[in-house]
Amino acid sequence: MQIAIPAERLAGEARVAATPETVKKLVAMGHTVVVESGAGRLSAVPDAAYAEAGASLAASRAAALSSADIVLKVRPPEADEIAEFKTGATVVSLMNPYANPHLAAMAAKKLSAFAMELLPRTTRAQSMDVLSSQNNIAGYRAVLLATHYYPRFMPMLMTAAGTVKPARVLIMGVGVAGLQAIATAKRLGAVVEATDVRPSTKEQVESLGAKFIEVPMTDEEKAASDGVYAKEMSDDYKRRQAELVTKHAMAADIIITTALIPGKKAPQLISAEVVRGMKPGSVIIDIAAEAGGNCALTVPGEVSVTDNGVTVVGTTNLPALVAADASNLYARNLLTFLSLMLSKDGFTLNLEDDLLAATLITHDGAVRFGQTSSPSAAAQPAATRA
């Protein structure tokens, strides 16, 4: 089988879908790998490293894609890219299926397209879970981004000139990104608090040395929300949450938000009024910015400063800011996923396999996403696991 690795075109996307490590393993299985020249440059992988691993280099995207049986990507293919795919090719990538306008075009090209964000969260799928690997990086990078904009120290310092108080950090949403943000902020010496709609996360938060802010919940709300994924809550819960969050937000120096809802705009957790009550110099890092943001004042892709001196950071695609390690982890995830279909003996697409069936969004000329199953806790968009 011929496997292609094109360069990503989306502005700000520095990751690549394969590394010399994974290319070498694919070549060892007897497959041909073609990498578009420059595909790994922003991930600190020069063309020479791919060539040394056994890949061939293509001068253009079209040259890489035209004969490829399998294409590995980070971002969903655009219309012009889809036109360059070989008819009937297999494409493995993050696909943003809930808002992807090109599913029909991929189906028309008879592409077998796999959306990695739809991978069920099961023990068997852990080593392929691109959401966990990438959101882990996002949580880490969010804290470092906060230190860039925060005009004070993170840890408590005792100096000859006096004592510096530690920063107070509030993490909203305790998924993979939230837990990593807690751990990173604690390592930097901050006082950390965290909140989540899932009561089961309390133990995880406290195990990392942070304080869990618990919104009072009814037994019915606890039963409805105590799962792997966060779910949209009732208006009454949101009111109680807002009251509690307002108190802690106004005392916080840094807030990092991560909450998203499958296939919907990110829920608003921080109102403009709350931001107006925060201290000058405070920072909000909105990991959910790409989906509209958890803060009312977030502008996706921009950094703004309010009249009262609060910096609201809407930087998107945080994993791409740690492109080398993000690419290494993502490439390993994809290599493991490919092992479900690819071996030394060839390529077999078994639609009885639960992981393949859950992630296959177009196949044999038809759009499967939304037809064979409905969005569920086992099939959620990329940012949900943040």
Side-chain angles (χ1 to χ4, degrees):
M1 301 290 285
Q2 183 162 311
I3 303 168
I5 318 297
E8 298 296 326
R9 263 54 177 187
L10 184 70
E13 184 53 78
R15 294 171 290 177
V16 64
T19 61
E21 174 194 345
T22 60
V23 165
K24 188 174 183 179
K25 292 178 179 179
L26 289 169
V27 171
M29 292 169 64
H31 304 293
T32 300
V33 180
V34 180
V35 178
E36 182 184 355
S37 181
R41 181 175 60 85
L42 297 179
S43 296
V45 184
D47 288 348
Y50 284 117
E52 187 177 346
S56 300
L57 297 173
S60 67
R61 183 179 69 188
L65 297 178
S66 61
S67 300
D69 302 299
I70 299 173
V71 180
L72 304 182
K73 284 182 53 59
V74 177
R75 290 287 185 163
E78 295 294 330
D80 59 337
E81 190 172 12
I82 293 170
E84 295 174 343
F85 284 127
K86 175 183 175 181
T87 299
T90 295
V91 188
V92 182
S93 178
L94 290 168
M95 289 289 186
N96 189 23
Y98 290 90
N100 191 326
H102 303 304
L103 297 187
M106 287 192 284
K109 195 75 174 180
K110 296 188 180 301
L111 301 181
S112 293
F114 291 91
M116 292 301 295
E117 56 266 67
L118 297 181
L119 196 70
R121 200 165 203 189
T122 61
T123 300
R124 180 170 171 250
Q126 284 182 349
S127 59
M128 315 168 198
D129 191 350
V130 300
L131 299 185
S132 290
S133 72
Q134 301 304 295
N135 286 331
N136 193 41
I137 293 171
Y140 164 81
R141 193 64 179 84
V143 176
L144 299 189
L145 198 59
T147 66
H148 175 76
Y149 292 102
Y150 183 57
R152 298 181 176 87
F153 285 114
M154 288 285 272
M156 180 180 75
L157 295 179
M158 300 181 70
T159 75
T163 300
V164 177
K165 294 181 179 180
R168 300 186 66 86
V169 178
L170 173 62
I171 311 295
M172 302 185 71
V174 188
V176 175
L179 288 170
Q180 182 56 250
I182 292 170
T184 304
K186 287 294 294 183
R187 291 189 198 105
L188 293 177
V191 174
V192 184
E193 298 179 319
T195 183
D196 194 282
V197 299
R198 295 161 295 179
S200 60
T201 60
K202 179 179 180 179
E203 185 177 343
Q204 295 173 299
V205 169
E206 293 177 343
S207 71
L208 292 172
K211 178 183 177 182
F212 187 72
I213 302 170
E214 195 164 6
V215 180
M217 301 177 75
T218 65
D219 291 340
E220 184 179 349
E221 287 172 338
K222 288 180 181 179
S225 65
D226 201 15
V228 175
Y229 300 100
K231 298 179 181 178
E232 189 164 16
M233 302 299 288
S234 67
D235 291 339
D236 185 54
Y237 176 88
K238 290 176 183 178
R239 177 189 57 77
R240 281 176 274 134
Q241 181 187 48
E243 291 174 355
L244 190 61
V245 165
T246 297
K247 174 184 174 183
H248 289 270
M250 290 182 176
D253 299 302
I254 295 169
I255 300 177
I256 297 174
T257 66
T258 73
L260 289 105
I261 302 298
K264 298 182 180 180
K265 186 179 183 295
Q268 186 182 118
L269 303 181
I270 304 174
S271 67
E273 183 179 358
V274 170
V275 177
R276 285 194 290 269
M278 293 176 68
K279 297 174 288 186
S282 299
V283 177
I284 298 172
I285 305 293
D286 197 337
I287 294 181
E290 197 163 352
N294 297 139
C295 175
L297 301 183
T298 296
V299 180
E302 297 185 13
V303 178
S304 58
V305 181
T306 66
D307 292 340
N308 60 315
V310 178
T311 301
V312 182
V313 182
T315 301
T316 58
N317 196 11
L318 295 184
L321 300 181
V322 193
D325 279 336
S327 295
N328 282 329
L329 297 177
Y330 183 81
R332 290 170 189 165
N333 292 147
L334 261 56
L335 179 66
T336 306
F337 183 77
L338 279 179
S339 70
L340 301 176
M341 303 175 278
L342 199 61
S343 68
K344 290 183 178 180
D345 299 324
F347 180 87
T348 303
L349 176 53
N350 176 17
L351 294 183
E352 297 300 315
D353 186 296
D354 62 317
L355 303 185
L356 295 179
T359 53
L360 186 61
I361 59 173
T362 69
H363 177 63
D364 198 24
V367 175
R368 286 170 50 93
F369 180 72
Q371 306 301 316
T372 57
S373 63
S374 58
S376 66
Q380 302 199 10
T384 302
R385 296 184 192 176

